[in-house]
């Protein structure tokens, strides 16, 4: 039995939910998000600011879609009311980041700086030269952009240099010189 799919979602104040044939449109103060679903497998109802999702059968695929759709709708409600946020930090001598217009400018040890276009609906702020904060309504877009930024210079295990999430822990390795002293 899917516990995530069966949970009842409460709609926050200031958020409107419109359920159509195969789409749930969620509007709030931070934007609008469309969550698609399969009308043959799921039935979605919005009664008294509570969203319930029922599945049509007990097949494994239907159960998976049931939980995924519930989680996507929950993330959309949270996103349009409060927003989602990812924070990155940059470690390394001379490594830094800056926002220039609609692009993120990274200096992370390459011979040139890296310019990354910021997607629509996201706000990117650099409080300091070694911090990046990404905020937006759509959780998947925020996470995907953070992953793209991190992929430009992932943290390495010997010195810990690179772009990493602020809550990420890098397992450090001992270098060859420390091993040779034994």
């Amino acid at each position: 039995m899917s516990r995530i799919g069966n949970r009842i979602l409460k709609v926050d104040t200031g958020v409107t939910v419109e359920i159509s044939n195969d789409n749930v449109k969620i509007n709030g103060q931070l934007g609008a998000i469309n969550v698609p679903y399969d009308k043959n497998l799921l039935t979605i109802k919005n009664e008294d600011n509570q969203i319930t999702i029922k599945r049509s059968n007990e097949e494994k695929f239907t159960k998976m879609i049931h939980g995924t759709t519930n989680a996507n709708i929950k993330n959309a409600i949270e996103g349009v009311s409060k927003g989602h946020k990812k924070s990155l930090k940059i470690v390394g001598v001379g490594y830094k980041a800056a926002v220039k217009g609609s692009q993120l400018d990274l200096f992370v040890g390459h011979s040139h700086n890296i310019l990354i276009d910021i997607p629509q609906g996201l706000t990117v702020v650099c409080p300091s030269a070694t911090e990046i904060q990404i905020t937006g309504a759509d959780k998947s877009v925020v996470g995907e952009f953070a992953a793209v930024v991190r992929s430009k210079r992932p943290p390495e295990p010997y010195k810990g240099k690179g772009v990493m999430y602020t809550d990420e822990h890098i397992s450090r390795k001992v270098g060859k010189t420390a091993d040779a002293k034994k």
Side-chain angles (χ1 to χ4, degrees):
M1 176 190 273
S2 173
R3 292 190 178 124
I4 293 176
N6 288 331
R7 71 180 166 193
I8 298 172
L9 303 174
K10 297 185 184 200
V11 179
D12 297 338
T13 56
V15 176
T16 59
V17 177
E18 300 172 15
I19 301 170
S20 65
N21 251 351
D22 56 352
N23 202 1
V24 178
K25 186 172 184 180
I26 300 165
N27 294 315
Q29 61 186 8
L30 297 178
I33 298 176
N34 292 325
V35 179
Y37 72 96
D38 190 350
K39 64 182 178 180
N40 298 326
L41 300 177
L42 302 174
T43 305
I44 301 176
K45 292 183 183 176
N46 182 11
E47 297 170 344
D48 300 328
N49 284 336
Q50 291 185 340
I51 297 175
T52 56
I53 303 171
K54 302 288 182 195
R55 60 181 177 254
S56 62
N57 57 42
E58 295 298 316
E59 293 178 8
K60 185 176 182 179
F61 180 75
T62 305
K63 289 180 181 181
M64 291 188 310
I65 293 298
H66 186 213
T68 302
T69 303
N70 190 306
N72 288 342
I73 293 173
K74 179 183 180 291
N75 288 335
I77 291 171
E78 185 178 323
V80 297
S81 61
K82 300 173 195 165
H84 295 285
K85 180 179 178 183
K86 287 274 188 183
S87 298
L88 300 164
K89 66 179 177 179
I90 302 171
V91 178
V93 176
Y95 289 12
K96 60 184 177 179
V99 177
K100 292 184 179 176
S102 64
Q103 292 183 324
L104 179 65
D105 194 4
L106 290 175
F107 296 92
V108 286
H110 296 288
S111 62
H112 58 285
N113 59 335
I114 299 171
L115 294 172
I116 305 170
D117 291 328
I118 299 171
Q120 288 289 97
L122 290 186
T123 304
V124 178
V125 178
C126 294
S128 69
T130 59
E131 294 178 50
I132 303 169
Q133 293 179 347
I134 304 165
T135 56
D138 195 347
K139 187 174 185 178
S140 63
V141 175
V142 171
E144 184 179 348
F145 185 70
V148 166
V149 172
R150 184 183 181 277
S151 72
K152 299 304 176 186
R153 178 66 79 172
E156 53 97 11
Y158 295 101
K159 293 182 182 178
K161 294 174 17 173
V163 180
M164 63 189 84
Y165 300 110
T166 53
D167 56 351
E168 182 178 13
H169 175 72
I170 304 300
S171 297
R172 302 292 291 270
K173 291 183 179 179
V174 179
K176 289 191 283 186
T177 57
D179 193 35
K181 292 179 183 178
K182 288 184 182 179

